Amino acid sequence: ACSTEIIRRADNISEKGVSLFNRMYHLMLEKGMYFGPSAYEVGFVSSAHQEDQLHQAVEIISSIAEQAWNTMR
């Protein structure tokens, strides 16, 4: 199960969490979305992104998160 604990340090990220991130990262690349390739990096939203792009990203990320989680069980 995933923890609901807030991660404040890199050494608090579990191996399962890193594996889940890696799976999501590759699935997102297949959908044309790029995130930093490390589970230890932070991401930022640019003011250059339009609202419709952000809504599309939310839908893609939600779908991929569910898909990745289901393959990790």
Side-chain angles (χ1 to χ4, degrees):
C2 282
S3 172
T4 58
E5 179 183 341
I6 295 172
I7 304 297
R8 299 193 188 276
R9 298 182 352 203
D11 61 347
N12 291 138
I13 301 173
S14 70
E15 286 184 34
K16 185 173 183 175
V18 172
S19 293
L20 182 60
F21 173 85
N22 289 337
R23 179 74 179 129
M24 287 183 63
Y25 172 78
H26 290 286
L27 290 169
M28 286 192 294
L29 278 180
E30 291 174 13
K31 295 287 187 182
M33 293 190 67
Y34 178 79
F35 274 24
S38 171
Y40 302 101
E41 295 182 52
V42 296
F44 299 95
V45 175
S46 169
S47 61
H49 292 105
Q50 301 296 314
E51 189 171 339
D52 61 323
Q53 293 170 315
L54 296 175
H55 287 293
Q56 181 183 17
V58 167
E59 291 203 16
I60 291 170
I61 293 167
S62 295
S63 172
I64 286 173
E66 184 176 349
Q67 184 181 349
W69 177 254
N70 288 335
T71 64
M72 297 293 294
R73 289 182 179 189

